[in-house]
Amino acid sequence: MTDNKEPLVKVRGLKKHFNIPGKGKLHAVDGVDFDVYAGETLGLVGESGCGKSTVGNVLLRLHEKTDGQMLFRGTDVFNSRGAESFELCKKIQIIFQDPYSSLNPRKTIRAILREAFQIHKIAKGDALEKRVRELCKDAGLSEELLDKYPHELDGGKRQVVGIARALSLSPEFIVCDEPVSSLDVSIQATIINLLMDLQEKRGLSFLFISHDLSVVRHISNRIAVMYLGEIIEMASTDEIFENAQHPYTIALLSAVPKVEIDSKVSRIVLKGDVVSPINPGKGCRFASRCWMSQDVCRENSPTLEESAEGHKVACHFWRESRELAKQAQTQ
């Protein structure tokens, strides 16, 4: 999919630091690089607090970046102003994690879906109503719900409204910020399948943020793994699950539940303290929990390098990781 193609979205050196009075800077995102190609889904995974949602918020300029660049079809998003920025808003949208708080409780579903068309002066009157009905059809939302308020809908239907709203301006790139994490498991598959159908029909590109590896595996073409503000491994989905090379990724995968009754589950239990994201200092941020850690890990931060074609990893000892992982597993 990515051969000889220019990426739709190119992110380089993205940083977001928050000032903590009396303590220093919290390094929420600290030098992240990635590309998203037209029609693909890049999964961004990691445990809570690793900075993955902050990445999405900075890309949408809900947080102002500390440093770095984002290019959308070659246009510098962070430095865009006026009419150019207004046009980019149509092409880059977000689906929020919480369908309860992301919808205005004082507006009907009809008013919520009308809003983007009205702000951008795209349609009014009968044309506006036609656009709203088309959105409902695409998202699989019953028109009977248009005059209801968000509190009258269940969580799944509310998230469908959030998806429909994100589609209203015909975007090309959508940040999906844990869009199913607050939903019942029975509803999650419905939402994921809806997103995949919409991607196929509209040629959408997704940055799919999640902590659930099973969900990410189902929807993503490639996966980037984050740890404390940094991407530590990135490869195709199959490559990540079959040939993970960073110790943290290997530990994450060992914790994924297995459905085979006869399979023996060998998990890697991470020990040690998590490095504080406030002034984290030098060295690998995973070193304090890593079974492979050596002096060089605590002194020098590894760079994200290509270990194989299309596979990047940030670890001084990635070549030995899988063999040493077997020694760290517990029954």
Side-chain angles (χ1 to χ4, degrees), residues 4-5 12 15 26 43 61 64 112 119 127-128 153 156 163 177 185 192 200-201 229 233 278 304 327:
N4 302 318
K5 292 177 67 176
R12 295 292 181 270
K15 293 184 180 182
L26 190 153
R61 300 178 74 176
E64 286 300 317
I112 290 170
I119 290 173
L128 177 59
L153 277 59
I163 293 170
D177 184 12
V185 174
I192 292 298
E200 184 176 353
K201 292 176 182 176
E233 187 163 10
I278 300 175
L304 193 67
Q327 302 173 20

Side-chain angles (χ1 to χ4, degrees), residues 76-88:
D76 190 333
V77 173
F78 296 145
N79 289 324
S80 65
R81 297 290 184 272
E84 183 180 51
S85 180
F86 204 58
E87 285 301 310
L88 284 171

Side-chain angles (χ1 to χ4, degrees), residues 77 85 95 157 166 174 216 232 308:
V77 173
S85 180
I95 299 169
K157 288 290 191 298
I174 299 180
V216 170
I232 50 88

Side-chain angles (χ1 to χ4, degrees), residues 17-32:
H17 299 166
F18 294 94
N19 289 319
I20 309 298
K23 294 185 177 181
K25 293 183 182 294
L26 190 153
H27 294 229
V29 180
D30 214 13
V32 166

Side-chain angles (χ1 to χ4, degrees), residues 77-313:
V77 173
F78 296 145
N79 289 324
S80 65
R81 297 290 184 272
E84 183 180 51
S85 180
F86 204 58
E87 285 301 310
L88 284 171
C89 288
K90 298 178 183 179
K91 299 301 180 183
I92 305 171
Q93 289 291 315
I94 186 169
I95 299 169
F96 292 99
Q97 176 179 353
D98 185 3
Y100 297 86
S101 62
S102 62
L103 301 177
N104 190 331
R106 297 187 178 186
K107 291 189 175 184
T108 64
I109 305 306
R110 187 188 303 276
I112 290 170
L113 296 183
R114 281 175 172 175
E115 194 168 24
F117 298 120
Q118 293 170 327
I119 290 173
H120 287 266
K121 299 179 180 179
I122 291 174
K124 59 183 180 179
D126 292 342
L128 177 59
E129 289 305 308
K130 182 180 178 181
R131 290 278 193 141
V132 170
R133 289 195 299 271
E134 288 173 349
L135 273 184
C136 290
K137 182 179 179 180
D138 285 351
L141 187 69
S142 172
E143 292 183 26
E144 297 176 358
L145 302 178
L146 286 174
D147 293 316
K148 294 185 178 296
Y149 289 85
H151 74 270
E152 298 180 272
L153 277 59
D154 62 35
K157 288 290 191 298
R158 269 191 288 256
Q159 193 59 293
V160 172
V161 173
I163 293 170
R165 179 177 61 182
L167 293 173
S168 58
L169 298 175
S170 299
E172 296 181 57
F173 175 58
I174 299 180
V175 174
C176 305
D177 184 12
E178 304 214 38
V180 298
S181 64
S182 63
L183 304 178
D184 292 341
V185 174
S186 59
I187 305 299
Q188 289 184 6
T190 302
I191 298 298
I192 292 298
N193 289 334
L194 172 61
L195 289 172
M196 293 176 71
D197 288 344
L198 289 168
Q199 182 176 43
E200 184 176 353
K201 292 176 182 176
R202 292 179 171 235
L204 299 170
S205 299
F206 293 141
L207 176 65
F208 192 92
I209 298 167
S210 179
H211 62 271
D212 190 328
L213 283 165
S214 299
V215 171
V216 170
R217 185 176 193 176
H218 186 65
I219 195 172
S220 301
N221 303 104
R222 292 185 298 129
I223 294 175
V225 182
M226 279 193 75
Y227 185 80
L228 285 181
E230 300 177 333
I231 290 179
I232 50 88
E233 187 163 10
M234 182 160 45
S236 69
T237 299
D238 288 343
E239 180 72 3
I240 287 288
F241 277 85
E242 295 171 9
N243 189 33
Q245 295 172 347
H246 195 283
Y248 175 66
T249 310
I250 294 170
L252 277 183
L253 293 173
S254 78
V256 176
K258 305 294 191 299
V259 296
E260 294 83 359
I261 297 175
D262 296 331
S263 67
K264 292 184 178 180
V265 179
S266 296
R267 304 194 188 283
I268 297 173
V269 179
L270 297 177
K271 301 176 182 179
D273 296 326
V274 179
V275 172
S276 172
I278 300 175
N279 305 321
K282 60 183 179 180
C284 175
R285 295 178 186 181
F286 187 61
S288 62
R289 305 171 74 191
C290 182
W291 62 87
M292 294 167 49
S293 177
Q294 298 183 32
D295 289 343
V296 66
C297 304
R298 291 179 282 275
E299 293 296 324
N300 299 311
S301 179
T303 58
L304 193 67
E305 62 177 337
E306 196 164 58
S307 62
E309 186 176 357
H311 193 153
K312 295 182 178 180
V313 59

Side-chain angles (χ1 to χ4, degrees), residues 7 9-15 31-35 67-70:
V9 175
K10 183 183 291 187
V11 176
R12 295 292 181 270
L14 187 67
K15 293 184 180 182
V32 166
D33 298 347
F34 63 84
D35 298 327
D67 197 6
Q69 184 183 54
M70 174 187 178

Side-chain angles (χ1 to χ4, degrees), residues 51-72:
K52 55 189 186 295
S53 288
T54 303
V55 169
N57 288 332
V58 173
L59 296 186
L60 270 293
R61 300 178 74 176
L62 300 176
H63 293 316
E64 286 300 317
K65 54 105 175 175
T66 299
D67 197 6
Q69 184 183 54
M70 174 187 178
L71 299 179
F72 177 82

